[in-house]
């Protein structure tokens, strides 16, 4: 176990040691079990579908983005009048990320720094603009808050396990795909469940505003969707027996398996979740620039190093990086 992973597990254990037992006194387990466990703030069972989901979404290829420029500008020398120049002049790239998703965007408890596969992508973009990967201001956004953060110009980019979909393309732009995940199931280690088909009438947790909650809500077996703000809230509800399963991208679930030996990921992928970097609709030049950065990161091996660092320990062999698709 790496030091980093050990630290995360340790911090969870410490939280339990201080939160579950009382100051060194022996704890009567029967009494602990009889206490009703609080649910996470903002949890909603069987939520009404968002009103926008009623509108038909035009067909598109959500994985096709804008071609990078012929030649990339040198760091610190962004072209006059470009979105990148405005970011360079402001002194920092503002990035919407997660801080609760181990392996992709999480806070290392020993250093308090944000780290993960998504955070590496942010730092590559900052390095390409400024020549310095640390000129970043991170803003934590929930799954449900990603599009508004971009539409309201609170962030320059969102790098947060975000699937490029046609519905989202109507409101924001996406970079080329930098990773392809797929939705799976996470259950208690003792559970016999291996598929959403077996979860009719049972509670299945996912984050508000995610593609995952929609997949659960629309599943033919009629599981009961339970939505929360953060992925870590789903894990807590599963650990406390308040839901029967959680279901989202295998990337996110892999981080949970790495933190908690009492849960397991089961069943095949039930969706395809191609991740893109979200960028405000008007900033097409920024999309092209970011696509140049992503292509460079694949070409120079940084993408592969980042995969090996974060996802290598999960045991999944490293896939080829997604081949970028462009619209022209
Ligand atoms: N990739 C899915 C999405 O963008 C689920 C992951 C998430 O919401 O963080 O909705």
């Amino acid at each position: 176990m790496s030091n980093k992973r050990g630290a995360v597990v340790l911090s969870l254990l410490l939280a339990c040691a201080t939160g579950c037992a009382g100051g060194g006194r022996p704890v009567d387990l029967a009494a602990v079990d009889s206490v009703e466990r609080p649910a996470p703030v903002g949890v909603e069972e069987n939520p009404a579908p968002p009103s926008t989901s009623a509108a038909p979404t035009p067909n598109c290829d959500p994985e096709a983005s804008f071609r990078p420029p012929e030649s990339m500008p040198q760091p610190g020398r962004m072209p006059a009048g470009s979105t990148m120049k405005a970011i360079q002049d402001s002194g920092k790239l503002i990035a919407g990320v997660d801080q609760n998703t181990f392996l992709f965007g999480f806070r290392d408890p020993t250093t308090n720094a944000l780290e993960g596969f998504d955070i590496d992508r942010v730092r590559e973009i900052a390095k390409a603009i400024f020549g310095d990967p640390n000129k970043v201001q991170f803003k934590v956004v929930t799954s449900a808050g990603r599009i508004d953060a971009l539409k309201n110009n609170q962030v320059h980019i969102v790098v947060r396990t975000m699937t490029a979909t046609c519905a989202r393309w109507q409101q924001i732009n996406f970079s080329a795909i930098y990773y392809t995940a797929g939705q799976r199931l996470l259950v208690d280690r003792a559970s016999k469940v291996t598929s959403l088909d077996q979860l009719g009438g049972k509670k299945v947790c996912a984050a508000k505003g995610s593609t995952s909650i929609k997949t659960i809500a629309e599943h033919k077996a009629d599981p009961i969707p339970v939505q929360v703000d953060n992925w870590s809230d789903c894990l807590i509800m599963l650990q406390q027996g308040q839901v029967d399963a959680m279901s989202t991208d295998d990337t996110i679930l892999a981080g949970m398996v790495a933190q908690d030996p009492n849960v397991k990921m089961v069943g095949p992928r039930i969706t395809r979740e191609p991740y893109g970097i979200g960028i405000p609709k008007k900033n097409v030049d920024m999309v092209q620039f970011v696509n140049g950065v992503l292509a460079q990161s694949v070409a120079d091996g940084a993408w592969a190093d980042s995969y090996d660092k974060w996802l290598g320990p999960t045991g999944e062999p490293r896939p080829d990086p997604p081949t970028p698709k462009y619209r022209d």
Side-chain angles (χ1 to χ4, degrees):
M1 179 185 290
S2 72
N3 286 345
K4 195 165 288 125
R5 185 159 307 162
V8 172
V9 173
L10 183 66
S11 67
L12 290 175
L13 291 175
L14 282 177
C16 192
T18 50
C20 307
R25 277 176 286 115
V27 176
D28 179 347
L29 287 181
V32 171
D33 269 355
S34 67
V35 172
E36 197 180 323
R37 289 165 179 158
V41 175
V43 59
E44 285 174 73
E45 196 173 304
N46 227 345
S51 52
T52 48
S53 65
T57 304
N59 271 341
C60 78
D61 179 354
E63 302 187 24
S65 183
F66 302 110
R67 189 172 291 281
E70 294 274 297
S71 71
M72 288 287 279
Q74 289 302 306
R77 297 192 184 177
M78 295 299 111
S82 66
T83 305
M84 298 76 78
K85 174 73 170 147
I87 296 171
Q88 184 193 320
D89 289 347
S90 76
K92 58 183 191 279
L93 172 70
I94 306 177
V97 298
D98 197 1
Q99 63 171 355
N100 293 308
T101 296
F102 187 44
L103 306 179
F104 272 71
F106 70 100
R107 215 170 265 289
D108 180 334
T110 54
T111 61
N112 216 26
L114 285 163
E115 297 213 50
F117 190 78
D118 278 345
I119 305 297
D120 283 354
R121 306 286 77 74
V122 175
R123 294 202 185 280
E124 282 170 358
I125 297 165
K127 191 164 172 217
I129 295 175
F130 300 99
D132 179 349
N134 296 317
K135 291 210 165 154
V136 179
Q137 180 185 351
F138 290 108
K139 284 197 180 173
V140 173
V141 289
T142 60
S143 290
R146 293 175 292 200
I147 289 188
D148 279 350
L150 289 164
K151 283 170 78 175
N152 300 333
N153 296 307
Q154 290 159 327
V155 294
H156 298 125
I157 54 173
V158 164
V159 193
R160 195 195 174 286
T161 56
M162 188 171 194
T163 302
T165 67
C166 293
R168 290 174 177 166
W169 263 105
Q170 290 188 286
Q171 304 188 68
I172 60 166
N173 286 329
F174 282 101
S175 72
I177 302 309
Y178 66 92
Y179 188 81
T180 305
Q183 183 166 346
R184 293 184 64 192
L185 264 184
L186 191 80
V187 293
D188 189 276
R189 200 168 51 145
S191 169
K192 299 214 159 44
V193 167
T194 56
S195 152
L196 265 178
D197 294 334
Q198 295 159 277
L199 287 166
K202 303 279 189 209
K203 294 181 187 175
V204 183
C205 186
K208 260 174 229 171
S210 65
T211 51
S212 327
I213 195 78
K214 197 162 177 277
T215 303
I216 298 165
E218 292 172 358
H219 196 273
K220 59 182 184 330
D222 275 339
I224 303 169
V226 174
Q227 66 177 17
V228 291
D229 288 327
N230 291 298
W231 291 114
S232 46
D233 293 335
C234 277
L235 179 61
I236 291 167
M237 291 190 85
L238 181 62
Q239 288 166 335
Q240 297 191 151
Q242 292 164 321
V243 293
D244 299 282
M246 68 173 284
S247 181
T248 185
D249 304 345
D250 45 8
T251 44
I252 297 173
L253 300 181
M256 302 197 160
V257 170
Q259 289 176 85
D260 183 350
N262 292 315
V263 294
K264 63 181 177 186
M265 196 178 345
V266 293
R269 285 181 165 184
I270 49 179
T271 63
R272 181 182 157 83
E273 308 287 335
Y275 290 171
I277 294 173
I279 295 171
K281 202 76 191 155
K282 63 183 189 314
N283 299 341
V284 172
D285 57 349
M286 182 69 176
V287 182
Q288 295 172 306
F289 178 80
V290 164
N291 286 342
V293 176
L294 290 176
Q296 182 61 37
S297 137
V298 167
D300 67 16
W303 185 95
D305 289 348
S306 176
Y307 182 95
D308 290 349
K309 179 172 181 189
W310 299 113
L311 292 154
T314 65
E316 287 295 318
R318 169 162 32 91
D320 288 337
T323 304
K325 282 199 212 170
Y326 303 121
R327 293 185 163 202
D328 52 49

